[in-house]
Amino acid sequence: MTKTIGILTSGGDCAGLNAVIRAVVHRAAHYGWTVLGIRDGTMGLLDRPMRYETLDVTKVDGTVMRLGGTILGTTNKGNPFAFPMPDRSTKDRSDEIIEAVRELKLDAVIGIGGDGSFAILRRLATQGGFNLVGIPKTIDNDIGLTEVAVGFDTAVSVATEALDRLQPTAASHARVMVLEVMGRDAGHIALHAGIAGGADVILLPEIPYDLDVVAKKILDLRAGGRNSALIIVSEAVRTLEGKMVKVEHHGGARRYGGIGQYLGEAISQATGAETRVTVLGHVQRGSPPSAQDRLVATAFGVHAVDLVADGKFDRMVAWSNRRVVDVPIADAIARYQAVDLESDLVKTARALGICLGDR
Amino acid sequence: MTKTIGILTSGGDCAGLNAVIRAVVHRAAHYGWTVLGIRDGTMGLLDRPMRYETLDVTKVDGTVMRLGGTILGTTNKGNPFAFPMPDRSTKDRSDEIIEAVRELKLDAVIGIGGDGSFAILRRLATQGGFNLVGIPKTIDNDIGLTEVAVGFDTAVSVATEALDRLQPTAASHARVMVLEVMGRDAGHIALHAGIAGGADVILLPEIPYDLDVVAKKILDLRAGGRNSALIIVSEAVRTLEGKMVKVEHHGGARRYGGIGQYLGEAISQATGAETRVTVLGHVQRGSPPSAQDRLVATAFGVHAVDLVADGKFDRMVAWSNRRVVDVPIADAIARYQAVDLESDLVKTARALGICLGDR
Amino acid sequence: MTKTIGILTSGGDCAGLNAVIRAVVHRAAHYGWTVLGIRDGTMGLLDRPMRYETLDVTKVDGTVMRLGGTILGTTNKGNPFAFPMPDRSTKDRSDEIIEAVRELKLDAVIGIGGDGSFAILRRLATQGGFNLVGIPKTIDNDIGLTEVAVGFDTAVSVATEALDRLQPTAASHARVMVLEVMGRDAGHIALHAGIAGGADVILLPEIPYDLDVVAKKILDLRAGGRNSALIIVSEAVRTLEGKMVKVEHHGGARRYGGIGQYLGEAISQATGAETRVTVLGHVQRGSPPSAQDRLVATAFGVHAVDLVADGKFDRMVAWSNRRVVDVPIADAIARYQAVDLESDLVKTARALGICLGDR
Amino acid sequence: MTKTIGILTSGGDCAGLNAVIRAVVHRAAHYGWTVLGIRDGTMGLLDRPMRYETLDVTKVDGTVMRLGGTILGTTNKGNPFAFPMPDRSTKDRSDEIIEAVRELKLDAVIGIGGDGSFAILRRLATQGGFNLVGIPKTIDNDIGLTEVAVGFDTAVSVATEALDRLQPTAASHARVMVLEVMGRDAGHIALHAGIAGGADVILLPEIPYDLDVVAKKILDLRAGGRNSALIIVSEAVRTLEGKMVKVEHHGGARRYGGIGQYLGEAISQATGAETRVTVLGHVQRGSPPSAQDRLVATAFGVHAVDLVADGKFDRMVAWSNRRVVDVPIADAIARYQAVDLESDLVKTARALGICLGDR
C-alpha cells in the first residue's frame, strides 16, 4: 500500500541534514511512496497556503547530500504551543499543524531535530494522533540513547581544524590562543576537538573550572620551555561555585564577549601571557558534512523509512555500538547526554596531562 | 621504577601514526619513563650502529600530531625471519633484533602496525623474551577485534572527497566515473566512502560481482533520466567464479591497468557510456589525519603505555563500543576482519538501491 | 532595449564555470535582459526540441557559484561541422545551430570554452552572422592573450595538495613518488604545482627530458642523505629526440600506463629506488573552485555581458596585469600559450635546483 | 666568495613564511653560503646570548614549506628604537642589534615583514651600515609597489571558505550572517573574499558606509524573495562622517564587540532580520599556505638571495605583472596600498549589485 510521508528539519541547522533527506527520499522511492518536504520546520504547516514540495529522487541527486544546511529550511522559533504573536503574547496554534497533517494525508511525519524539537513534535503527534519518527541531529551531541547525532562529527572536525590553524600562530608569537566552540550545555565538541587538536586546556560545562588551575597550567608549560598554549572552551562553562557562565544573546544578534573573551583577559592578567581569542561560531554548523556524518545520516534516513514501513512509531533512530537501532522518543528526550566524566576520552585527556580546569 | 620503552612504526604508513607517537611520549613522560623512537620499523634494530633517537615531549609537540606519515619512518620490507640478501637468498636475522632490544635495555616495545607486522613482532617477542604491546593501524581496517584501526577514517574521508570531486564532472559530461580505492583484500574503504560519497555502484572483494549486473545498473539509471554514475571499486575484487582480481605490481613500481581500468573499459563496451577512471593511490595514506583518527590514535597511545605500566603484555589495544580495550595480539591476528555482509552499512547500501555487483 | 543572451559551456569541465554563469545572470539582470542557459554545449542547440532553460537570479543564487562542474552540462564531442553519425561518417550540422540561434532570437551568445570550442563557435558565428563573446576556461591554461583561464588555479591547488599528501609517505617509506597531472600539451599545472608542492623533479612538455638526468637527481639527493623524492610530470612530455609521449586513450576509457607509470618503472630500474605512481586524474577538474578562480570567473562574467551591452563582439575576455580586458577571439586562438621558458617561474625552479629533466 | 646571511621574520605571522625561509636556504645553498635563522624577529639579536641557528637544506626540507606560522618565531613587540622597559619607559637599544649583526659577521640581513618592520629594519641598516633586503608579507596586502604580499592569498581563501560555510546556515534559517575579517586599515581581504564568496554586502575602510544603505539592501533582497544575506566587513570601517571604527584591544586580549557585532545588532534593529555574527580571527593567519602563496613565497626567497649575490641592497622584492622585481624599500613603505576604488574588482562588485555601503 502506498504511503505519503512528510519530512521536516527543525531547530539549529547542521551538516548532514541534506544527506538524511536524500536517504529518506531514496528509501521511500524503493517502497513507491511519496515524500513531501515541508518547509522551515513546522512553519511550513502553520502558514496558509502550506509550504511544501514533493521530493523525488532526481531532486535530491548529485550535490545535495554533499551540502551543508538543509534544502527544506529550518527554524528554531515558533513553538506552535506558544507561538509568538505580534503583540508579544503567545498563542497555541498546535491545532493548525495537526489539521495540516490531516489535510496532506500524511501516513507519517519524519522529524529531523534535537530534543527540543522532538518534545514539540511528540506532543503534536500525541494530540493529533499522527505517526512520528524522529532522526537525531545536533552538533552538540547531547541527545540521549544515541552515541552520535547527525552533525556532530563535522562540528568536531571544523573545531579541530581551527586548533590546527591557531597552533602555528601560537608557536610563532609565543601566545596563548583561546578557542571558544559551540555545544550548548554539553562539552562534547570541546572535549573531542581538544584532544584531536592538541589542546593544553579543555574547559567543559560538566567540569567546574578554577581559573587558578588554568593559569598554573600555562605557567607550568612556560617553566617547561614552551611559551605558547592552546585552550579550547565550550560556550558554556561552570565556575567552581557551580554557576553556569554562558554567552549572552541580545535581540537577534549574538553578543560576543562571552566566556572565551573573559578567559582571554583573565589568563592574560593572571600569567602575563599574550592571549588571542577566536569565537568559532556558525562555521561549525554550515560546513559540508564529513564522510562520517553522511554515513550516519544515510543509515538513519533508511532506518526511519523502514520504521514507517514496519508501523513502528513514536521512535527515534539511534546509533549504538556500530548498529542502527531505534528507541522510544520519550526515552531519548528524558536522557540528556552530557559528557561522561568516566569515559575513556576524559580519562585519555587526563592521562595526557591536559588541564580540565579542576584541581 | 623508571622504564625505557621502544616504539616503532611498521608496514604501510597511514594518517595518525604521529598522533600515536606523540601520545605515547606524553603518557610515558607522565610516568617519568624514557622513550626510544626506533627508525624504519625493525630496520633500525637490524642496522649497526642501531638507528633510534630519544623522544621527549618537546620533540613531538606542536605540528607533529597533525602531520601524515611517521616521523620514525617505516618499512614493509625486511622480514627479519627471512631477510632478503643481495644474492636473492633470505636469512634469519631475528637474533640481531633480539640482541638490539637487550642492548637498549627496553622494558617493552610498542609496535604500531597491521597484522603482518604483529605476526613478526610477536614471534620476535616470544623468541627473544621481550615485552610487546601492539597498536593497530591500517587504512584497510582489516585487523580483527578492533572496530577501527588508526588511519581508516582519514582514508575514507579522502576517498569520499574524491567522489565529491568526480561527481560534478560526471554530471556535467554525462559520464560514468570509476574510482579505484585501496583496501587490500577488504572492502571497508570502498563501502564506507561509497555510501558517504553517493556512489551508485560499490564493488568489494567480499561480494563477487557480475559485470552484467553493473552494466544493468548503469542502463537503469539512464532509463530513469540520469546519464551519469559514480562507481567505487576496491583494488581487489572477486569475480562470480570466486577468482580474486588484483592490481598487479611489477618491481618496485605499481602497475596501473588494474581493476579500475578494466571496469572502465568493460562498462564502456557494455553500455556505450563514456567512462573515466581514477586510481586514487597513495593520497589515501599520507593525508593529514582526521579528527577522528587523531582521537583514536591518542587514546590508543595512552592505553598502550598504561598496559606497560600494568605489566600486561602480548596485547593489542583496540576500540570496542566506544571504549579503549585490549585483546591478545594472537587473537587479533587470527581474526581477519572482512566486511560483514550482515552489517547495517551493507544493509543500508542495499536499501538505497546501491548496486553491490551481485544479483 | 532589452536583450536575450544565450550562454553555454563547452569542452572539458573545470572549476569556476558555475561562478561565470552566476555572474553573467546577475549582470544581465542589472540590464533587465533574459539569459537562456543552453544545455550541453552546442548539443542543446542541435537537438530538437532544443534544450535550454531561462536562468534568473534565484536559480543561480546560493550554492551554485561554489560548486564544481557546470549546471548547464558540457560536452567535448559533437563538432557541428563534422558531427559523428551512427554510421561513423561525419556530417556538417552547423546550419542547425545557426537556425536555433535565430529561432531563440539570441542577441548574443556567450561561450565559455577553450581554444577548440572558440574555433568552432567563431566559425558558427561568422557563418551564421550572430554575435559571440568568449570567456576562457581551461585547467591547462594554454589559451593565448590571457594570463589565466577559469579553472587553472583550482587545478594547481588540487595538484599541490596531492604533493602535500604524497610527501609524508615518500619520507616515511624512503620512496620516490611520481605524480602525473593533467595539462594536455602544456606544462603549466606541473610547473606551478611542482614549485608550490616542493617537487624535486618537474617534467613538462616544453622541456625535452633525459631520463639519465632525472635518475642522477634522485641519486644526488640520496648522496645528500635523502632517500625520498617527489616527481611531478605532465600527462604529455617530450623526449630528448623531441618525440611527444602522451597518455593513450582507448575507446571511451582512459588507459593508464602512460608517462607516469613509465617513469616510475624506469626510475626504479635506473636508481634502485622504490617508486609509487599516482595519476591524479579528474579530481583536478571537478573540485570546488578556489577563491581566485571564483574572482576571475566573476569578473569575466560581468565583463562579457558588458561587451554585449557595448556591442563589442567576436572578442574574448581576458586577464592581463590585474585587469579584465578583451581581445579578438581569433588572436587568442592563434597564440597558443605554452610555458615560457624565460618566465620567472621557470627561473625560480632552476634557481632552487629543481630538476627540469634537461642537462 | 662565501657569505653569511641572516634571515628573520618580523610582525604578525601569516601563511607562507616557512616557504620563504626554505627558498632562501635552498638558494643560498646553491651559492654555498651560510644562512643564520634569527629567532623571534629582532629579539634574537637583542637577547644575550643571541638566539639563532644555522639553517641548512635538511632542516627546511619536507613538511616545513607546507606549514603555517614561522619556524623562526616572530614578534610584533619590541621596537628596538623604543624598547619597552620594565618600568614602562622606553629605551633605544638599536646599537645592540647593530652590534649583533657585526658580531655574526652577516653580509646581509633578509627581513620578511610588513611596512612597520621594514621601517625599523631600514633605520637599523642605515644606522649600522649593514646590508638589508626585504620580503613583503602581510595578510592585509597593504604594502606598496607589490601586487601581492606573502600570506594574502591564503587569508582570502580562508575568509571565502568561511562565507561558504555560513551560506547554508543563512539560507536554512533565513538569517543575515555577518562575517568580520582582518585587514587592518585596508579592505583587500573583505573585497576579494566578498566577491569570491558571494557576499551581498561588502564593507571596506576605503568606502565610508551608510547603515541605511546596508539596511535597504537587506530589505530589497527580502522584497525579491530572499530572506537571507551574507555580509562581509573589514575589522576597520569608516562611517559617513569619515570616522574610522575599529575593533578595540584591551591589554593583551582582543576585545570582541567590534564592528561586526555592532553591525549585527544594528541591522537586526533596522530590518527585523535575525542576524548572526562571526569574527573570523586568527584562523586567517595560521592556516597552511595556499599553492599561490607558496609560489610567490618561493619566487621571493630566491630573488632576495640573488639580490644579495648582485650586491643590490636596501631593496624589497615585489610581484608585478607576473614577474618578480625589486624596488627601493623606502618607496614601498611610502606607498601605502589601500583598495583602489577604480580597480576592476571594485567595478565588478558594483556591477553585480553588491552593496558597498555607499549611496
Side-chain angles (χ1 to χ4, degrees):
Chain A
M1 191 191 65
T2 189
K3 291 186 194 296
T4 300
I5 306 180
I7 182 170
L8 57 84
T9 44
S10 179
D13 77 317
C14 66
L17 297 176
N18 288 324
V20 176
I21 296 167
R22 169 186 175 267
V24 165
V25 171
H26 270 265
R27 185 58 178 161
H30 167 85
Y31 289 112
W33 299 349
T34 298
V35 177
L36 302 185
I38 298 159
R39 303 281 317 167
D40 301 332
T42 50
M43 292 302 294
L45 300 179
L46 272 177
D47 292 342
R48 296 293 179 275
M50 290 184 285
R51 292 183 292 114
Y52 65 92
E53 59 179 319
T54 304
L55 297 176
D56 61 21
V57 168
T58 62
K59 277 197 189 161
V60 296
D61 246 6
T63 56
V64 168
M65 77 177 302
R66 307 169 209 282
L67 299 176
T70 159
I71 57 169
L72 294 177
T74 185
T75 182
N76 35 16
K77 295 177 298 192
N79 176 353
F81 292 100
F83 196 83
M85 303 302 287
D87 64 356
R88 291 174 163 261
S89 70
T90 59
K91 182 181 169 188
D92 183 344
R93 297 184 61 190
S94 55
D95 282 347
E96 300 171 52
I97 289 179
I98 291 165
E99 183 188 288
V101 170
R102 282 182 196 149
E103 194 175 325
L104 295 174
K105 300 192 198 320
L106 298 181
D107 294 290
V109 171
I110 295 179
I112 313 170
D115 45 15
S117 300
F118 286 155
I120 290 170
L121 288 171
R122 194 167 179 264
R123 194 169 155 197
L124 285 167
T126 307
Q127 180 178 317
F130 64 81
N131 296 320
L132 175 69
V133 170
I135 298 179
K137 69 87 211 155
T138 166
I139 65 168
D140 309 320
N141 210 33
D142 55 3
I143 303 175
L145 299 185
T146 184
E147 291 169 4
V148 291
V150 174
F152 176 61
D153 187 70
T154 303
V156 169
S157 298
V158 172
T160 302
E161 178 198 56
L163 287 176
D164 292 347
R165 290 173 169 179
L166 295 174
Q167 188 274 329
T169 299
S172 300
H173 279 276
R175 279 178 186 155
V176 174
M177 307 299 277
V178 177
L179 177 69
E180 180 186 314
V181 296
M182 288 184 165
R184 286 203 308 180
D185 296 351
H188 296 287
I189 294 178
L191 179 62
H192 281 70
I195 296 175
D200 301 294
V201 178
I202 303 176
L203 301 183
L204 316 172
E206 291 86 353
I207 303 178
Y209 83 98
D210 182 344
L211 187 64
D212 293 343
V213 171
V214 177
K216 184 171 183 306
K217 174 72 182 181
I218 304 303
L219 295 173
D220 286 350
L221 287 170
R222 194 186 296 165
R226 182 144 66 85
N227 286 310
S228 66
L230 296 178
I231 299 180
I232 191 167
V233 54
S234 290
E235 62 183 335
V237 293
R238 203 176 286 273
T239 61
L240 274 188
E241 299 76 33
K243 192 177 144 210
M244 185 76 89
V245 183
K246 290 190 197 184
V247 172
E248 304 160 65
H249 287 77
H250 289 255
R254 190 173 190 285
R255 168 166 291 283
Y256 283 87
I259 180 63
Q261 181 61 21
Y262 165 75
L263 266 184
E265 293 178 10
I267 290 169
S268 179
Q269 282 172 20
T271 68
E274 194 175 271
T275 58
R276 289 291 184 277
V277 180
T278 297
V279 181
L280 196 53
H282 281 75
V283 296
Q284 294 162 88
R285 296 191 171 280
S287 294
S290 69
Q292 176 65 15
D293 262 335
R294 287 194 253 163
L295 266 177
V296 169
T298 304
F300 277 1
V302 165
H303 194 70
V305 177
D306 286 347
L307 286 177
V308 176
D310 293 346
K312 295 176 69 178
F313 298 109
D314 202 18
R315 299 187 74 79
M316 182 187 84
V317 299
W319 196 260
S320 174
N321 198 7
R322 298 179 85 74
R323 298 212 73 105
V324 186
V325 298
D326 48 273
V327 298
I329 293 182
D331 293 2
I333 297 173
R335 297 269 195 94
Y336 181 76
Q337 178 167 284
V339 168
D340 175 5
L341 300 188
E342 300 304 314
S343 70
D344 280 4
L345 281 188
V346 171
K347 287 179 183 168
T348 293
R350 292 195 190 283
L352 279 178
I354 296 174
C355 170
L356 298 180
D358 52 353
R359 287 169 196 166
Chain B
M1 191 191 66
T2 189
K3 291 186 193 296
T4 301
I5 305 180
I7 182 170
L8 59 83
T9 45
S10 179
D13 77 318
C14 66
L17 296 176
N18 288 326
V20 175
I21 295 166
R22 168 185 175 268
V24 166
V25 172
H26 271 265
R27 185 58 178 160
H30 166 86
Y31 290 112
W33 298 350
T34 299
V35 178
L36 301 185
I38 298 159
R39 303 281 319 167
D40 302 332
T42 50
M43 293 302 294
L45 299 179
L46 273 177
D47 291 342
R48 295 293 179 275
M50 290 184 285
R51 291 182 293 114
Y52 65 90
E53 58 179 320
T54 304
L55 297 175
D56 61 23
V57 168
T58 62
K59 277 196 188 160
V60 296
D61 244 6
T63 57
V64 168
M65 76 177 303
R66 308 168 208 281
L67 299 176
T70 160
I71 56 170
L72 294 177
T74 184
T75 181
N76 34 17
K77 295 178 297 192
N79 175 351
F81 293 99
F83 196 83
M85 303 301 287
D87 64 357
R88 288 171 167 265
S89 69
T90 60
K91 182 180 169 187
D92 183 345
R93 298 184 60 189
S94 55
D95 282 348
E96 299 172 54
I97 290 180
I98 292 164
E99 183 188 289
V101 171
R102 281 183 197 149
E103 194 175 323
L104 295 174
K105 298 192 198 328
L106 298 182
D107 294 290
V109 171
I110 295 180
I112 314 170
D115 45 16
S117 300
F118 286 155
I120 290 170
L121 288 171
R122 192 165 182 266
R123 196 170 153 196
L124 285 167
T126 307
Q127 179 179 318
F130 64 80
N131 295 320
L132 175 68
V133 170
I135 298 180
K137 69 87 211 156
T138 166
I139 65 167
D140 309 320
N141 210 33
D142 56 3
I143 303 175
L145 299 184
T146 184
E147 291 170 3
V148 291
V150 174
F152 176 61
D153 187 70
T154 304
V156 169
S157 298
V158 172
T160 301
E161 179 198 55
L163 287 177
D164 292 348
R165 290 173 169 179
L166 294 174
Q167 188 274 330
T169 299
S172 300
H173 279 276
R175 278 178 186 156
V176 174
M177 307 299 278
V178 177
L179 177 69
E180 181 186 313
V181 296
M182 288 183 164
R184 285 203 310 180
D185 296 351
H188 296 287
I189 295 177
L191 179 63
H192 281 71
I195 296 175
D200 301 293
V201 179
I202 302 175
L203 301 184
L204 316 172
E206 291 85 353
I207 303 178
Y209 83 98
D210 182 345
L211 187 65
D212 294 343
V213 172
V214 177
K216 184 171 181 308
K217 174 72 181 182
I218 304 302
L219 296 173
D220 285 351
L221 286 169
R222 194 186 297 166
R226 181 142 67 85
N227 286 310
S228 66
L230 296 179
I231 298 180
I232 191 168
V233 54
S234 289
E235 63 184 333
V237 293
R238 203 175 287 272
T239 61
L240 275 188
E241 298 77 33
K243 193 178 143 207
M244 186 73 89
V245 183
K246 291 190 195 183
V247 173
E248 304 160 66
H249 287 76
H250 289 255
R254 193 175 187 282
R255 167 165 292 284
Y256 282 86
I259 180 65
Q261 181 61 22
Y262 165 75
L263 265 184
E265 293 179 9
I267 291 168
S268 179
Q269 283 172 19
T271 67
E274 195 174 271
T275 59
R276 288 291 185 278
V277 179
T278 296
V279 181
L280 197 52
H282 281 75
V283 296
Q284 294 161 89
R285 295 192 171 279
S287 294
S290 69
Q292 176 64 18
D293 262 334
R294 286 193 253 163
L295 267 176
V296 169
T298 304
F300 277 2
V302 165
H303 193 70
V305 177
D306 286 347
L307 285 177
V308 176
D310 293 346
K312 294 176 69 178
F313 298 111
D314 202 17
R315 300 187 72 82
M316 181 187 85
V317 299
W319 197 260
S320 174
N321 198 7
R322 297 179 86 74
R323 297 212 75 104
V324 186
V325 298
D326 49 272
V327 297
I329 293 183
D331 292 2
I333 297 172
R335 298 268 195 95
Y336 181 76
Q337 177 167 284
V339 168
D340 175 4
L341 300 188
E342 300 304 315
S343 70
D344 280 5
L345 280 189
V346 170
K347 286 179 183 168
T348 294
R350 292 195 192 281
L352 279 178
I354 296 175
C355 170
L356 299 179
D358 53 352
R359 288 168 195 169
Chain C
M1 192 192 66
T2 189
K3 290 187 194 295
T4 300
I5 305 180
I7 182 170
L8 58 83
T9 45
S10 179
D13 76 317
C14 66
L17 296 176
N18 288 324
V20 175
I21 295 167
R22 168 185 175 268
V24 165
V25 171
H26 272 265
R27 186 58 177 160
H30 167 85
Y31 289 112
W33 299 350
T34 298
V35 178
L36 301 185
I38 297 161
R39 303 280 319 168
D40 301 332
T42 51
M43 293 301 295
L45 300 179
L46 272 177
D47 292 342
R48 295 294 178 274
M50 290 184 286
R51 292 182 294 113
Y52 65 91
E53 58 179 319
T54 305
L55 297 175
D56 61 20
V57 169
T58 62
K59 277 197 190 159
V60 296
D61 244 7
T63 57
V64 168
M65 77 177 303
R66 307 169 210 281
L67 300 176
T70 160
I71 56 169
L72 294 177
T74 184
T75 180
N76 34 17
K77 296 177 297 191
N79 175 352
F81 293 99
F83 196 84
M85 303 301 288
D87 65 356
R88 290 174 164 262
S89 69
T90 60
K91 183 181 169 187
D92 183 345
R93 297 184 60 189
S94 55
D95 283 348
E96 300 170 54
I97 290 179
I98 292 164
E99 184 187 288
V101 170
R102 282 183 197 149
E103 195 175 323
L104 295 174
K105 300 192 197 320
L106 299 182
D107 293 291
V109 171
I110 295 180
I112 312 170
D115 45 16
S117 300
F118 286 155
I120 289 170
L121 289 171
R122 194 167 180 264
R123 197 171 153 195
L124 285 167
T126 308
Q127 179 178 315
F130 64 80
N131 295 321
L132 176 68
V133 170
I135 298 179
K137 67 88 210 154
T138 166
I139 65 167
D140 309 321
N141 211 33
D142 56 2
I143 303 175
L145 299 184
T146 184
E147 290 169 3
V148 291
V150 174
F152 176 61
D153 187 70
T154 303
V156 169
S157 298
V158 172
T160 302
E161 177 199 57
L163 287 177
D164 292 347
R165 290 173 171 180
L166 295 174
Q167 189 274 330
T169 299
S172 300
H173 279 276
R175 280 178 185 155
V176 174
M177 307 299 278
V178 177
L179 177 69
E180 181 187 313
V181 296
M182 288 184 166
R184 284 203 309 181
D185 295 350
H188 296 287
I189 295 178
L191 179 62
H192 282 71
I195 295 174
D200 302 292
V201 179
I202 303 176
L203 301 184
L204 316 171
E206 291 86 354
I207 303 178
Y209 83 98
D210 182 344
L211 188 64
D212 294 343
V213 172
V214 177
K216 183 171 183 306
K217 174 72 181 182
I218 305 302
L219 295 172
D220 285 351
L221 286 170
R222 195 186 296 165
R226 182 144 65 85
N227 286 310
S228 66
L230 295 178
I231 298 180
I232 191 167
V233 54
S234 290
E235 61 184 334
V237 294
R238 202 176 289 273
T239 62
L240 274 188
E241 299 76 33
K243 192 178 143 209
M244 185 76 89
V245 184
K246 289 190 196 183
V247 172
E248 304 160 67
H249 287 76
H250 290 255
R254 190 173 190 286
R255 168 166 291 284
Y256 281 86
I259 180 63
Q261 180 62 23
Y262 165 74
L263 265 183
E265 293 178 10
I267 290 168
S268 178
Q269 283 171 20
T271 67
E274 195 175 90
T275 59
R276 290 290 184 279
V277 180
T278 297
V279 181
L280 196 53
H282 281 76
V283 297
Q284 292 162 88
R285 296 192 170 279
S287 294
S290 69
Q292 176 65 16
D293 262 334
R294 286 193 253 164
L295 266 177
V296 169
T298 303
F300 277 0
V302 165
H303 193 70
V305 177
D306 286 347
L307 285 177
V308 176
D310 293 346
K312 294 176 67 178
F313 298 111
D314 203 17
R315 298 187 74 80
M316 183 187 85
V317 300
W319 197 259
S320 174
N321 198 8
R322 299 179 84 75
R323 298 212 73 105
V324 186
V325 298
D326 49 273
V327 297
I329 293 181
D331 293 2
I333 296 173
R335 296 271 195 92
Y336 181 77
Q337 178 167 284
V339 168
D340 174 5
L341 300 188
E342 299 305 315
S343 70
D344 279 4
L345 280 188
V346 171
K347 286 179 184 169
T348 293
R350 292 196 191 282
L352 278 178
I354 296 174
C355 171
L356 299 179
D358 53 352
R359 288 167 197 168
Chain D
M1 191 191 67
T2 191
K3 291 186 193 296
T4 300
I5 306 180
I7 182 169
L8 58 84
T9 45
S10 179
D13 76 318
C14 65
L17 296 177
N18 288 325
V20 175
I21 295 166
R22 168 186 175 266
V24 165
V25 172
H26 272 265
R27 186 57 177 160
H30 166 86
Y31 290 112
W33 299 349
T34 299
V35 178
L36 302 185
I38 298 159
R39 304 280 319 166
D40 301 332
T42 50
M43 292 303 294
L45 299 178
L46 271 177
D47 292 342
R48 295 294 179 273
M50 290 185 285
R51 292 183 292 114
Y52 65 90
E53 57 180 320
T54 304
L55 297 175
D56 61 21
V57 169
T58 62
K59 276 196 189 160
V60 296
D61 244 6
T63 57
V64 168
M65 77 177 303
R66 308 169 209 281
L67 300 176
T70 160
I71 57 169
L72 293 177
T74 185
T75 181
N76 33 17
K77 296 177 296 192
N79 176 352
F81 293 99
F83 195 84
M85 303 301 287
D87 65 357
R88 289 171 166 264
S89 70
T90 60
K91 181 182 172 188
D92 183 345
R93 298 184 60 190
S94 54
D95 282 348
E96 300 171 53
I97 290 180
I98 292 164
E99 183 187 289
V101 170
R102 281 183 198 149
E103 194 175 325
L104 295 174
K105 299 191 197 324
L106 298 182
D107 294 289
V109 171
I110 296 180
I112 314 170
D115 45 15
S117 300
F118 287 155
I120 290 170
L121 289 171
R122 194 167 179 264
R123 195 169 154 197
L124 285 167
T126 308
Q127 179 178 317
F130 64 80
N131 296 320
L132 176 68
V133 170
I135 299 179
K137 68 87 211 157
T138 166
I139 65 167
D140 308 321
N141 210 33
D142 56 2
I143 303 175
L145 299 184
T146 184
E147 292 170 3
V148 290
V150 174
F152 176 61
D153 187 70
T154 303
V156 169
S157 298
V158 172
T160 302
E161 179 198 57
L163 287 177
D164 292 347
R165 290 173 169 180
L166 295 174
Q167 188 274 331
T169 298
S172 299
H173 279 276
R175 279 178 186 155
V176 174
M177 307 299 279
V178 177
L179 177 69
E180 180 186 312
V181 296
M182 287 183 165
R184 284 203 309 181
D185 295 351
H188 296 286
I189 294 177
L191 178 63
H192 282 71
I195 296 175
D200 302 293
V201 179
I202 303 176
L203 301 184
L204 316 172
E206 290 86 354
I207 303 178
Y209 83 98
D210 183 344
L211 188 63
D212 294 342
V213 171
V214 177
K216 185 172 182 307
K217 174 71 182 182
I218 305 302
L219 296 172
D220 285 351
L221 286 171
R222 193 186 298 165
R226 181 142 66 85
N227 286 309
S228 66
L230 296 178
I231 298 180
I232 191 167
V233 54
S234 289
E235 62 184 333
V237 294
R238 202 175 289 271
T239 62
L240 275 188
E241 299 77 32
K243 191 178 144 208
M244 185 74 91
V245 183
K246 289 191 195 183
V247 172
E248 304 160 66
H249 288 75
H250 288 256
R254 191 174 188 282
R255 167 165 292 282
Y256 282 86
I259 180 63
Q261 180 61 21
Y262 165 74
L263 265 183
E265 293 178 10
I267 291 169
S268 179
Q269 283 171 20
T271 66
E274 195 174 271
T275 58
R276 289 290 183 279
V277 179
T278 297
V279 181
L280 197 52
H282 281 76
V283 295
Q284 293 162 88
R285 295 192 171 279
S287 294
S290 69
Q292 176 64 16
D293 262 334
R294 286 193 254 163
L295 266 177
V296 169
T298 304
F300 277 1
V302 165
H303 193 71
V305 177
D306 286 347
L307 285 177
V308 175
D310 293 346
K312 295 176 67 179
F313 299 110
D314 203 17
R315 299 189 72 81
M316 181 188 85
V317 300
W319 197 260
S320 175
N321 199 7
R322 298 178 84 74
R323 297 212 74 103
V324 186
V325 298
D326 48 272
V327 298
I329 292 181
D331 293 2
I333 296 172
R335 298 267 196 94
Y336 181 76
Q337 178 167 284
V339 167
D340 175 4
L341 300 187
E342 299 304 315
S343 70
D344 281 4
L345 280 189
V346 170
K347 287 179 184 171
T348 294
R350 293 196 190 282
L352 278 178
I354 296 174
C355 170
L356 298 180
D358 53 352
R359 289 168 196 169

